[in-house]
Amino acid sequence: MNPKHALAMLGLVGLSAAAQAQDPNLARNLAATCANCHGTNGQSVGGMDSLAGEAQDKLMQKLMDFKSGDKPATIMHQIVKGYSDEQLTLITAWFAAQK
């Protein structure tokens, strides 16, 4: 890889991380996409598992299993691949903090 391209890529990654760190609502906003199936703030009213208050490591393991294909799913394996591991960490931490 061209050193200039590598440096530019590193700069973009840094900007992305800085943008995520500056948005205090990023975790909540990312987690909001889960509401259609798992309920507002992760509190399911039936059908799907509630996510609110679950241990972060348990939630993260489930997501990683979906992402790798180890856990069968109808749609979660596709959804989870749209997020970086850092974003998934933010999402699972947010749900773990909900009551």
Side-chain angles (χ1 to χ4, degrees), residues 19-56:
Q20 288 182 7
Q22 291 176 358
D23 184 355
N25 296 316
L26 180 60
R28 181 201 66 190
N29 293 346
L30 290 169
T33 62
C34 307
N36 285 336
C37 298
H38 295 280
T40 302
N41 297 330
Q43 298 173 2
S44 179
V45 292
M48 292 293 169
D49 293 342
S50 285
L51 304 176
E54 288 291 325
Q56 182 180 8

Side-chain angles (χ1 to χ4, degrees), residues 81-98:
K81 288 179 183 177
Y83 294 98
S84 69
D85 290 352
E86 293 79 16
Q87 289 172 321
L88 294 175
T89 298
L90 288 172
I91 292 168
T92 56
W94 190 85
F95 280 123
Q98 302 308 300

